């Protein structure tokens, strides 16, 4: 470690986590927090799936003490008091628009319905009858001009009702945060295995002796996954990390779940750490395949018996030269061979990935190249092995399962047509990016946002604001205020409806984890006793009833979520067991997802392998951005992602101590890269992309590969119009060309 990194901690997790727990649970909100931590419902934060009927602390294998600090952070944010009554009367929009994400969230919980009317400067309170009248009128537009966006914190029941209502109205514009997230995994894995989710259960992961962790910062975003990695190392298994940034918690992690085992020193995570060029993972995986071939570690019998299309994949690995591969990914041949050797010689390998893989212009190819590598080594269709997209929001996968998607499975489409007694719209519908483009082209009149922050989650915030400004009515269902409520404003009416969160809803709900496990969430109550909140299910059923009456389904009866679960059981393959869950309380694994035998959900039962093209990854020169040759400048591939202290667009803590980035307006740079051009550590610079710039950005030297950099979203979303992988609509948030130059 050089002096540039001297401020960096050398271990992820550890004492700061314990201190945070202590501070929060001993605070005045502490007793409340403990109650909610023990509530029988799935954790709000990530999709690892802690919580549920075994108690708030248990994971899917029933092991206790699995709640992490992120869970505490998420609950704590929900336990804030209501935004003060007169707040919105006293603060004009122009003031609200000055707030940062952190400040917006700190305002407190939303507790009364609000409206911003055309031409007005203040949000004002609105009664339910007028609110429903406006909502009803808005949805009486042409079906193709109505749309929804959703974020994966709401329940399966809300998700199912949302898509049923939108489809019953004749629209299929069901944009979802997964379009910006794991859509490439769904598209890629479906092509190969006929199923778009992880094929590995938590129990199966526990039988693995090697995990390849690609493009994931799990210590921050899926902390309890790291416990499994620690246990694999303890069993003498291997962890290969592939990430352009050396994330400290992936080098060493001190887990509070193992207090006796060296909380201060931490356990080693990575056995081998490869730092490729951002966006180059296909080249790295073809390199691994090439090395496996050379070492005679490819399982040809397995390919012949269980896969189709493998010949072309093998041929591609043969034919691509080492020079090309090494130049494209920036990792040496010997390091690639070392990775191949570990993978080829392990018994059971799980290949797991997150946003470093999916948020790329070739996200689907990235996923295909990982799946190819798994197949070539026989690491699919058996216990302890397989492909594992690490899902984001706690119920984002459930939203997809419930049919909130623009790529509806045939079986679900047919079942819904039988249920609704009419054919569904055959127009594919807008995904999140298409929705923004359509809105910008005046093609959307009404938009219902079930959670999330569509504005700040998108690239090019200038366009996002302009596009949303062309929608006539936007209805936000939300628990907390966020930037979208102050910048994503409709031309006529913007409505914010305060909703109960998962541990407050007065009825039972369910959620699905990234490991395909369905959790049953007990009813709860809210601390916002004086508020006027509504459950998402109640809002959706009431609106649907007003628009569609009692036919073909009795929408008001669906306020009883047991009835929603009956419909889910009837129409969603793999979810049959949900029809009985009210009687049995038995949480279950969705059928047809976990492959412990090499028989897949493709027509032939064999995996369908696909060749992947090498990405071309040049960076433009500074002059493209109008920077003169005389100005000292550096063009880099910017990774935009999460700090340690945020949940997506919501900022909880300003700094990121694990990367020694003290505030939000920092850029993590390679020291040699910066010094070559004469930039110093902590110097303030301008960072400019193809859509905007940020000034006064502080340079922080870190362990990141040359010509790459890291900044935090949502702030960084002002900088760029993203490239999109057209097969899935996902923006390339992880490879944004930007130029850096001294502030003028
Ligand atoms: N606490 C917390 N938990 C969360 C979230 C949160 O914001 N906060 N968000 C949730 C959601 S919705 C999601 S999607 C997940 C996100 O979880 P992650 O995917 O872990 O989050 P990111 O910050 O986007 O980081 C991705 C990682 O990919 C690496 N990377 C970037 N480019 C490349 C590349 O080209 N190749 C490779 N191999 N790696 C690359 C980055 O350096 C970074 O370490 O977390 C979920 N859980
Ligand atoms: N540059 C860049 N941009 C990105 C990413 C990136 O890595 N880089 N990541 C992308 C990814 S992976 C994702 S998933 C998206 C995230 O995009 P979104 O899911 O749209 O955004 P969030 O910030 O998670 O949404 C937070 C809001 O959800 C609301 N909320 C919380 N709980 C509930 C609930 O129970 N019900 C309801 N109705 N509302 C609730 C709160 O009001 C809160 O303010 O961002 C994407 N954008
Ligand atoms: S790992 Fe994820 S699901 Fe488990 S407690 Fe932490 S944030 Fe919640
Ligand atoms: Mo995500």
């Amino acid at each position: 470690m050089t002096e540039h990194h001297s401020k960096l901690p050398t271990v992820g997790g550890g004492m700061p986590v314990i201190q945070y727990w202590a501070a929060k649970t001993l605070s005045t909100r502490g007793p409340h927090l403990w109650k909610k931590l023990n509530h029988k419902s799935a954790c709000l934060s990530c999709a690892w799936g802690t919580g549920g009927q075994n108690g708030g602390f248990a994971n899917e294998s029933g092991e206790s003490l699995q709640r992490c600090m992120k869970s505490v952070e998420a609950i704590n944010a929900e336990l804030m008091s209501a935004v003060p009554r007169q707040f919105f009367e006293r603060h004009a929009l122009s003031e609200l628009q000055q707030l940062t994400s952190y400040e917006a969230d700190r305002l407190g919980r939303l507790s009364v319905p609000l409206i911003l009317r055309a031409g007005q400067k203040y949000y004002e309170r609105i009664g339910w009858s007028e609110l429903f009248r406006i909502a009803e009128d808005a949805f009486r537009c042409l079906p193709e001009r109505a749309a929804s966006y959703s974020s994966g914190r709401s329940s399966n029941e809300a998700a199912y009702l949302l898509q049923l209502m939108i489809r019953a109205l004749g629209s299929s514009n069901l944009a979802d945060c997964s379009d910006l997230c794991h859509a490439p995994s769904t598209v890629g894995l479906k092509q190969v295995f006929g199923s778009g989710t992880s094929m590995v259960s938590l129990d199966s992961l526990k039988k693995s002796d090697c995990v390849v962790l690609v493009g994931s910062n799990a210590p921050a975003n899926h902390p309890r996954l790291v416990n499994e990695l620690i246990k694999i190392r303890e069993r003498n298994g291997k962890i290969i990390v592939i990430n352009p940034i050396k994330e400290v918690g992936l080098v060493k992690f001190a887990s509070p779940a193992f207090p006796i085992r060296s909380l201060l020193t931490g356990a080693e995570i990575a056995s081998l750490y490869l730092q490729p060029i951002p966006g180059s993972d296909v080249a790295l995986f073809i390199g691994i395949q090439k090395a496996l071939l050379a070492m005679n570690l490819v399982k040809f019998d397995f390919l012949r018996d269980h896969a189709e299309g493998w010949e072309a994949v093998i041929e591609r690995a043969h034919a691509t030269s080492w020079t090309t591969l090494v130049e494209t990914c920036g990792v040496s041949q010997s390091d690639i061979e070392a990775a191949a050797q570990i993978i080829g010689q392990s018994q059971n390998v799980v290949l797991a990935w997150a946003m470093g893989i999916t948020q790329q212009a070739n996200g689907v190819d990235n996923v295909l190249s990982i799946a190819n590598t798994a197949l070539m080594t026989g690491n699919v269709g058996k216990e302890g092995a397989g492909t594992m997209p690490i899902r984001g929001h706690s119920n984002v996968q459930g939203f997809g399962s419930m049919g909130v998607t623009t790529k509806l499975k045939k079986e679900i489409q047919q079942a819904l047509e039988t249920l609704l007694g009419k054919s569904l719209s055959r127009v594919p519908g807008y995904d999140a990016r298409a929705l923004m483009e359509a809105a910008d082209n005046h093609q959307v009149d009404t938009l219902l946002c079930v959670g999330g922050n569509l504005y700040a989650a998108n690239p090019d915030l200038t366009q996002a604001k302009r596009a949303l400004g062309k929608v006539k009515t936007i209805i936000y269902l939300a628990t907390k205020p966020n930037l979208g409520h102050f910048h994503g404003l409709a031309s006529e009416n913007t409505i914010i409806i305060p909703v109960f969160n998962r541990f407050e809803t007065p009825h039972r709900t369910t959620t699905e984890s990234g490991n395909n496990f369905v959790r049953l969430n007990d009813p709860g109550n809210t601390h916002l006793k004086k508020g006027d909140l509504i459950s998402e299910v109640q809002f959706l059923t009431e609106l649907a009833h007003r628009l569609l009456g009692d036919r073909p389904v009795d929408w008001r009866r669906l306020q009883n979520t047991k009835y929603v679960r009956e419909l889910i059981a009837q129409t969603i393959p793999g979810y049959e067991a949900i029809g009985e869950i009210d009687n049995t309380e038995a949480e279950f694994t969705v059928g047809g997802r976990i492959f412990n035998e090499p028989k897949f959900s493709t027509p032939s039962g064999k995996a369908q392998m696909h060749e992947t093209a090498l990405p071309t990854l040049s960076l433009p020169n500074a002059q493209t951005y109008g920077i003169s040759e005389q100005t000292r400048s550096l063009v880099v591939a910017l990774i935009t992602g999460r700090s340690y202290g945020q949940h997506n667009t919501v900022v909880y803590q300003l700094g990121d101590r694990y990367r020694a980035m003290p505030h939000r307006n920092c850029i993590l740079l390679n020291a040699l890269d910066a010094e070559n051009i004469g930039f110093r550590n902590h110097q303030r610079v301008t960072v400019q992309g193809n859509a905007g710039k940020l000034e006064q950005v502080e340079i922080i030297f870190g362990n990141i590969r040359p010509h790459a950099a890291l900044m935090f979203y949502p702030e960084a979303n002002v900088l760029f119009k993203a490239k999109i992988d057209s097969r899935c609509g996902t923006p390339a948030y992880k490879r944004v060309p930007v130029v850096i130059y001294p502030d003028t």
Side-chain angles (χ1 to χ4, degrees), residues 321-620:
S321 74
W322 274 115
T323 320
T324 308
L325 292 170
V326 169
E327 254 174 34
T328 311
C329 72
V331 178
S332 70
Q333 182 178 341
S334 59
D335 277 350
I336 297 176
E337 285 166 346
Q341 190 156 26
I342 295 175
I343 295 171
Q345 290 178 345
S346 297
Q347 294 302 309
N348 296 311
V349 184
V350 169
L351 293 104
W353 66 90
M355 297 301 102
I357 282 299
T358 61
Q359 294 175 336
Q360 302 285 1
N362 64 339
V364 173
D365 274 355
N366 272 340
V367 172
L368 294 174
S369 72
I370 294 177
N372 288 342
T373 311
L375 279 155
M376 283 167 72
T377 49
N379 277 304
V380 287
K382 62 173 179 178
E383 272 200 289
T387 43
M388 187 174 108
I390 311 165
R391 298 299 302 245
H393 268 299
S394 50
N395 193 37
V396 62
Q397 197 165 296
F399 265 74
S401 299
M402 294 300 109
V404 178
T405 170
T406 52
K407 299 182 176 68
L408 193 65
K409 278 191 188 157
K410 263 245 133 30
E411 306 94 286
I412 303 182
Q413 179 201 311
Q414 284 163 355
L416 291 176
E417 288 181 342
T418 309
L419 175 71
L420 294 174
K422 67 174 205 173
S423 48
L424 302 184
S425 163
R426 290 293 186 272
V427 182
Y430 302 135
D431 63 17
R433 279 309 305 157
L435 171 62
M436 293 313 255
E437 298 298 339
D440 210 6
N441 292 327
H442 295 277
Q443 288 167 319
V444 181
D445 290 336
T446 304
L447 173 62
L448 173 62
C449 291
V450 180
N453 183 352
L454 177 63
Y455 160 77
N458 263 279
D460 193 357
L461 296 183
T462 313
Q463 186 214 20
K465 189 167 187 151
R466 184 181 66 226
L468 293 171
K470 295 175 186 171
V471 180
K472 288 185 188 154
T473 308
I474 302 182
I475 301 169
Y476 290 112
L477 302 188
T479 56
K480 303 286 296 285
N482 64 44
L483 296 177
H485 304 145
F486 306 148
H487 296 273
L489 304 174
S491 62
E492 290 177 9
N493 291 306
T494 310
I495 293 175
I496 308 178
I497 298 177
V499 295
F500 298 118
N501 65 36
R502 186 171 304 155
F503 55 72
E504 294 171 338
T505 51
H507 40 247
R508 278 179 157 172
T509 59
T510 60
T511 45
E512 176 187 326
S513 80
N515 310 319
N516 306 293
F517 194 69
V518 176
R519 285 286 195 201
L520 178 63
N521 306 305
D522 275 0
N525 49 49
T526 181
H527 62 291
L528 301 167
K529 301 292 178 218
K530 292 191 191 136
D532 192 10
L533 292 83
I534 194 169
S535 84
E536 290 159 328
V537 165
Q538 196 187 344
F539 175 76
L540 291 166
T541 47
E542 181 60 31
L543 179 60
H545 168 78
R546 286 167 186 251
L547 289 162
L548 296 155
D550 293 338
R551 283 168 209 282
V553 287
D554 182 345
W555 295 96
R556 279 197 169 151
R557 192 178 150 211
L558 286 165
Q559 288 189 3
N560 177 353
T561 54
K562 185 169 183 286
Y563 181 37
V564 184
R565 285 185 283 277
E566 282 170 22
L567 296 191
I568 296 173
Q570 264 176 48
T571 50
I572 307 293
Y575 256 83
E576 295 77 9
I578 207 172
E580 286 304 310
I581 205 168
D582 287 272
N583 305 327
T584 60
E585 299 193 347
E587 298 175 317
F588 63 95
T589 296
V590 183
R593 303 272 183 86
I594 306 294
F595 296 118
N596 284 336
E597 300 291 328
K599 260 193 88 46
F600 306 103
S601 303
T602 53
S604 65
K606 294 187 177 190
Q608 303 298 308
M609 291 171 74
H610 298 266
E611 258 189 280
T612 49
L614 282 188
T616 27
L617 297 173
S618 58
L619 285 168

Side-chain angles (χ1 to χ4, degrees), residues 70 217 221 243 247 279 281 355 360 642 646 648 734:
K70 294 292 153 191
N217 186 18
N221 299 320
N243 196 316
E247 304 284 14
D281 294 78
M355 297 301 102
Q360 302 285 1
R642 293 149 178 83
Q646 71 181 79
N648 296 340
K734 294 294 188 272

